[in-house]
Amino acid sequence: MNIFVTGGAGFIGANFIFYMLREHPDYRIVCLDKLTYAGNLSTLEPVMQNDHFRFEKIDICDREAVFQLFEEEKPDVTVNFAAESHVDRSIEDPEVFLRTNILGTQVLMDACRKYGIKRFHQVSTDEVYGDLPLDRPDLFFTEQTPLHASSPYSASKASADMIVMAYHRTYGLPVTVSRCSNNYGPYQFPEKLIPLMIANALADKPLPVYGDGLNVRDWLYVEDHCRAIDLIIHNGQVGEVYNVGGHNEMSNISIVKLICRELDKPESLIKYVTDRKGHDRRYAIDPQKIHSELGWLPETKFEDGIKETVRWYLNNRQWWETIVSGEYRNYYEKMYGNK
Ligand code: NAD
Ligand code: TYD
C-alpha cells in the first residue's frame, strides 16, 4: 500500500506518519508538505532515512507538482491533513485559508480522479458544525448536524467537506471524511492553547485566556485520532462522514489551571484578555457512529495524555524553543501585544 500524507510536517500529520510506519511497516508513506510556518522538517527527522518513507516539499495548490508526484508514485490512498489550521490567523488573514483548504483539496482530488485512487480521506474538524450552547450539555454534534461554521478557518474546512462529498456524488470518487475534536499531544505548534500555555508557563510569562475562559472544547489525544483515521481508510464506508471525539469536554480555564499544577507554576500567571472575535462557545462530539461501525474508542485518558504531553514539551525543549525564538515572536507580539 502506498499512502500519500499531505501536511505531514505538521502536528497531526507527523504523528500519523509515525503511527502508520510503526503499525504498517510494509506500507510506503509519501509526505507532501509546503513547509509553511507550521511545517517543521525536523519533526520528521526520525523517519527521513526510512526506506518506506519519502518527503517532497510541495504546495497542494501547485497542480503541476501534485500531478507529477501522482504520476510517479500512483498512490493507493491519499490522506489530506494539509491546511492552514489556526482560527486566530484566519481572522487576521482569511485568504490563504480559502486557497489552501479549499482549492488545495480540489487539486488533490483532481489528481486522484486522473490517476485513480482507492481512497481519498479528508481530515476535517468538528468546527464545521459551529458551536453548541453551554447550558445544553445534552446536545452533541452528530454526522447529521447541519454545517454552520463560524470562523474563516472553519468555513474553509466546511467548504472543503462539501466539495469532497460533491466529488463523490458527481464523479464517484471514493472518499471518506473524518471530523475530529481538538487534538493535543507531542509536536503541536506552540500557537495552540495547550502548547502555548506550557511554553509560557515554563518562561513565567502571562497565560492569556480569551474572554471568560469558560469556552469548552472536547480534547482527544493525537494518537487516538491517528488510529481513527487508520480504521476509516481501511474499514470505513466510501461516501461516509465519521465524527471522532472522546467525550472529554473541558473549559479552557480548567485546562490552563491544570497545566499550572503540572508545572508547579502559580495561577497568578493567568491573564484574562480580549475575547476572540466570533468565539465558538462549546464543541462536543457524539462518536457513536465510529464506535458502532468501526469499533473505535479513545484509549488515552486525559489525565494520562496531558501528563505525557507536558513531559514531552519538557524533554523536547529544543523543538519548540527554536520556534518561539524565531519569526513566531513577531506573530506573538502582533496577536497578544495589545490584548
Ligand atoms: P498544523 O497547522 O500543525 O499542520 C499543517 C501542515 O500543513 C503543516 O505542515 C503545513 O506546512 C502544511 N501545509 C499548509 N499549507 C499547505 C499547502 N498549501 N500545501 C502543502 N502543505 C501545506 O495542523 P494540524 O493541527 O496538524 O491539523 C492537520 C489537519 O487536521 C488540518 O486539516 C486541520 O484542519 C485538521 N484538524 C486539526 C485539529 C486540531 O486540533 N489540531 C482537530 C481536527 C482537525
Ligand atoms: P485553539 O487551540 O486555538 O483551538 P480552536 O480554536 O481550534 O478550538 O484554542 C482552543 C481554545 O482556547 C479556544 O476556545 C480559544 C482558547 N485560547 C485562549 O483562551 N488563549 C489562547 O492564547 C489561545 C491560543 C486559545
Side-chain angles (χ1 to χ4, degrees), residues 6-15 31-40 56-62 80-86 96 99-101 104 122-127 153 157 178-184 187-189 191-192 219-220 222 225 229 244:
T6 69
F11 165 45
I12 309 175
N15 277 284
C31 172
L32 295 69
D33 198 297
K34 184 184 176 182
L35 297 180
T36 67
Y37 79 92
N40 201 331
E56 285 297 325
K57 184 175 185 306
I58 285 181
D59 181 344
I60 58 165
C61 302
D62 182 345
N80 183 25
F81 291 93
E84 289 292 334
S85 70
H86 192 37
V96 67
R99 194 164 49 241
T100 287
N101 300 1
Q122 175 71 359
V123 181
S124 187
T125 163
D126 60 356
E127 302 193 27
Y153 162 66
K157 294 294 290 186
S178 53
R179 296 188 180 134
C180 189
S181 58
N182 286 61
N183 285 213
Y184 69 100
Y187 299 107
Q188 187 166 30
F189 195 85
E191 67 188 349
K192 303 280 169 61
W219 294 94
L220 184 74
V222 62
H225 186 188
I229 295 171
V244 184

Side-chain angles (χ1 to χ4, degrees), residues 86 88 182-184 188-200 207-210 215 217 219 250-256 259 276 336:
H86 192 37
D88 292 326
N182 286 61
N183 285 213
Y184 69 100
Q188 187 166 30
F189 195 85
E191 67 188 349
K192 303 280 169 61
L193 180 76
I194 290 180
L196 184 142
M197 296 300 165
I198 296 173
N200 281 16
L207 307 177
V209 172
Y210 298 165
N215 302 63
R217 299 293 184 261
W219 294 94
M250 295 184 73
S251 67
N252 295 336
I253 188 66
S254 62
I255 299 238
V256 176
I259 289 170
R276 174 186 279 174
Y336 294 91

Side-chain angles (χ1 to χ4, degrees), residues 23 57 83 108 130 162:
E23 295 296 316
K57 184 175 185 306
L108 291 171
M162 296 189 93

Side-chain angles (χ1 to χ4, degrees), residues 300-324:
T300 305
K301 288 202 210 81
F302 188 77
E303 308 88 89
D304 301 332
I306 194 72
K307 278 193 170 54
E308 185 57 37
T309 303
V310 167
R311 200 171 23 243
W312 188 87
Y313 280 87
L314 281 169
N315 292 338
N316 292 273
R317 274 176 173 268
Q318 208 195 343
W319 183 87
W320 57 269
E321 279 179 350
T322 310
I323 294 169
V324 298

Side-chain angles (χ1 to χ4, degrees), residues 15 17 29 42 48 52 67 81 98 115 119 130 154 163 178 191 199 248 280-281 284 286 334 337:
N15 277 284
I17 288 170
I29 307 281
S42 77
M48 275 308 198
H52 290 251
F67 277 45
F81 291 93
L98 274 58
Y115 296 100
R119 181 68 61 85
S154 53
I163 306 280
S178 53
E191 67 188 349
N248 182 53
D280 281 338
R281 215 47 177 147
D286 176 354
K334 183 172 160 214

